[in-house]
């Protein structure tokens, strides 16, 4: 009885303290960007504590401390991101004049299905990743909701978390640009606008349960904290289905290029929808026609039956796709004999059901092995045992997803749009998931043979 | 009388209990946003224009603002890509597609200037300046006259020349996966919605 009484007294004391804290927090919060008392972590896990602990770390050679603390790869490894479609424009002298350009994933060097964050493609459309202090970052959810709310990162970390493996792919991956069509194009040039990570965060549906979505709401508008406040309309149904609000990528915090400290992740949709530096979500009843959904991310065809001057917009979902990453463009195989052909397959519709490989220029197709894990809306590694007899040939892969949709050849893409392959070579057509052929020359050199 | 009051309270509590189930479970995670905070943060402007603030401007007023704040990146002629920004208007007789004239709603022009311009000083323009710059871009695109006043009403009501050059053009149909052309402009195989 007395124990109970004392429990109750303790509870009341705690409650009073909590209430006081809440009142104080509200007062501080209303002025915006100040650090809140309770956010100053009471554990040793603070940047200062970590720095102090590292100071005495033994066994580090002078000047090498950083390498030992945050590891780096072997000096014999050189795979890196190269500038890509993120480049804004080039001057008359051919030099890129934008101060910040995107980078392409070296897909030909990837092993397994995970893209290291340091090699993950990035493109912030001319706006470098902002320097965001997670203690200052806030996420506002408002619009057609019962309880508009503001979340700190601490709030987000407290909520039930999930971990999912998903690819991100730019709508421009595989674009029929001159550099992508060139014989010397590597897989990084043809398919470098994609990556696949293990993402950790909160189900978007969970947050929307907390705020209470009102009847009639059908879309959201999500917005980032970078300079341009990139903003995108996404159907609410998709957000509630499988979208995440993530803070973790491959076992650590999401990298700045990927949206630190918080990013929306919309699996299987053009990655432009996965808003980085997520700071605000407005629940609405229709698309808001933001800049990157009215003058970009559309397909306009100027030949055939679709040459109606009209743009196909809001294409969202990415089709079944695959690419052989080894051997691939720019590489050279040596002696005749055994080689494992390996590559990646993925689809915005779900899991990859089948990958077929042709080693005879498309005459015959055989099932490749799916290495696993085979996860929905994630890169899937496939392998195929091949014996090269020194002949000239073309290697191809094509994927089929769980919906039964089959990756088209470039000619089939042309048929879909009612245009010739020649047209596709000249016009830049995005949202293209054409089969990638790699030509093996008699000397073992590998060339892009898309046309 | 007393019991009926009690009844009202009980019913109200029951309704709250359902609605607040999530908030109770995750008590003190996140907090209510105030109306002032929402107003300060909310820069989204829909095609219906309901979020457009009071204010107005003309192309005449926009020209010097463009010269002072925009030309450094987009160039003086607006017809060629500038050092940092793309061309904004088509050359005489040129294709409007790819310029801001092809944007289907003038509200998007207002929204984008307001949220993202000028580069390196985003969010510093006042509503009147954004209206004036919107008017200037529309004037240089041949869509409005130099003295036409752009305000919340005219920006919302303006019919852009490419308004119907999008598939689907009916905004209500964009949420429908079949109407918005699926992948690659067609829907192969079984209805993806039904199969999903």
């Amino acid at each position: 009885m007395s124990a109970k009484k004392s429990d109750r007294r303790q509870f009341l004391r705690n409650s009073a303290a909590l209430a006081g804290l809440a009142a104080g927090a509200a007062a501080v919060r209303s002025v915006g960007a100040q650090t809140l008392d309770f956010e100053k972590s009471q554990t040793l896990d603070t940047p200062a504590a970590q720095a102090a602990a590292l100071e005495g770390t033994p066994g580090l050679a002078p000047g090498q401390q950083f390498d030992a603390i945050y590891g780096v790869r072997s000096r014999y490894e050189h795979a890196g991101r190269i500038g890509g479609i993120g480049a804004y424009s080039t001057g008359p002298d051919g030099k890129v004049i934008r101060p910040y350009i995107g980078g392409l994933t070296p897909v030909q060097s990837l092993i397994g299905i995970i893209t290291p964050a340091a090699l993950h493609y990035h493109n912030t459309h001319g706006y470098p990743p902002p320097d965001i202090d997670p203690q200052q970052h806030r996420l506002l959810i408002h619009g057609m909701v019962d309880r508009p709310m503001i979340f700190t990162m601490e709030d987000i970390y407290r909520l039930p978390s999930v971990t999912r493996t998903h690819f991100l792919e730019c709508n421009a991956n595989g674009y029929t640009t001159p550099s992508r069509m060139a014989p010397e194009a590597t897989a990084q040039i043809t398919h470098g606008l994609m990556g696949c990570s293990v993402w950790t965060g909160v189900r978007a549906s969970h947050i929307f349960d907390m705020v209470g979505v009102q009847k009639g709401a059908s879309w959201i508008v999500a917005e980032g904290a970078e300079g341009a406040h990139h903003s995108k309309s996404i159907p609410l149904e998709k957000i509630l289905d499988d979208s995440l609000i993530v803070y973790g990528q491959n076992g650590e915090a999401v990298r700045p290029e990927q949206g630190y400290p918080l990013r929306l992740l919309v699996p299987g949709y053009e990655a432009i929808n996965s808003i980085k530096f997520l700071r605000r979500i407005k629940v609405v009843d229709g698309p808001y026609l933001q800049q990157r959904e009215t003058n970009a991310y559309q397909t306009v065809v100027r030949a055939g039956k679709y040459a109606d001057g009209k743009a196909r917009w809001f294409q969202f979902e990415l089709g079944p796709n695959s690419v052989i990453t080894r051997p691939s463009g720019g590489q050279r195989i040596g002696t005749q004999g055994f080689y494992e052909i390996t590559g990646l397959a993925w689809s915005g519709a779900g899991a990859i059901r089948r990958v077929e490989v042709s080693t005879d220029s498309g005459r015959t197709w055989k099932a490749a092995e799916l290495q696993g894990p085979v996860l929905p809306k994630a890169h899937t590694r496939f392998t195929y045992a091949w014996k090269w007899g020194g002949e000239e040939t073309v290697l191809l892969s094509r994927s089929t997803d769980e919906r039964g949709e089959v990756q088209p050849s470039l000619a089939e893409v042309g048929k879909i749009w009612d245009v010739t392959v020649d047209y596709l070579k000249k016009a830049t057509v995005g949202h293209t998931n054409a089969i990638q052929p790699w030509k093996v020359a008699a000397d073992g050199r590998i060339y892009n043979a898309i046309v | 009388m007393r019991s009926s009051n009690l009844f009202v309270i009980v019913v109200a509590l029951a309704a709250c209990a359902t609605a607040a189930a999530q908030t109770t479970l995750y008590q003190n995670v996140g907090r209510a946003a105030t109306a002032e905070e929402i107003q300060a943060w909310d820069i989204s402007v829909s095609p219906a224009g309901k979020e457009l603030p009071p204010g107005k401007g003309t192309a005449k007023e926009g020209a010097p603002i463009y010269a002072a704040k925009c030309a450094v990146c987009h160039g003086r002629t607006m017809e060629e890509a500038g050092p940092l920004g793309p061309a904004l208007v088509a050359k005489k007789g040129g294709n409007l597609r790819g310029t801001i004239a092809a944007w289907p709603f003038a509200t998007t022009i207002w929204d984008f200037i307001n949220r993202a311009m000028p580069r390196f000083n985003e969010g510093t323009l006042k509503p009147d300046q954004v209206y004036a710059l919107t008017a200037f871009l529309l004037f240089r695109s041949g869509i409005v006259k130099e003295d036409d006043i752009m305000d919340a009403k005219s920006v919302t009501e303006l019919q852009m020349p490419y308004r119907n050059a999008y598939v689907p053009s009916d905004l209500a149909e964009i949420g429908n996966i079949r109407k918005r052309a699926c992948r690659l402009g067609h829907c192969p195989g079984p209805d993806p919605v039904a199969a999903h």
Side-chain angles (χ1 to χ4, degrees), chain A residues 243-307:
Chain A
S243 299
L244 306 173
I245 293 172
V246 299
Y247 46 79
Q249 179 184 13
N250 300 342
E252 60 181 353
V254 170
R255 289 285 175 102
E257 305 98 290
Q258 302 308 322
Y260 184 86
L262 197 63
R263 139 171 244 175
L264 181 65
L265 195 89
V266 187
Y269 274 25
E270 293 173 338
I272 189 74
N273 295 285
S274 290
I275 299 288
K276 296 190 263 195
F277 330 110
L278 183 68
R279 73 164 189 181
R280 189 169 68 88
I281 294 176
K282 185 173 183 174
V283 180
V284 295
D285 60 0
Y288 260 42
L289 286 301
Q290 298 290 286
Q291 184 240 352
R292 286 206 163 74
E293 49 207 21
T294 56
N295 85 323
Y297 296 85
Q298 306 161 355
T299 305
V300 185
V301 179
R302 299 185 198 282
K305 68 180 174 192
Y306 293 111

Side-chain angles (χ1 to χ4, degrees), chain A residues 44 165 252 322 442:
Chain A
L44 288 172
T165 303
E252 60 181 353
S322 71

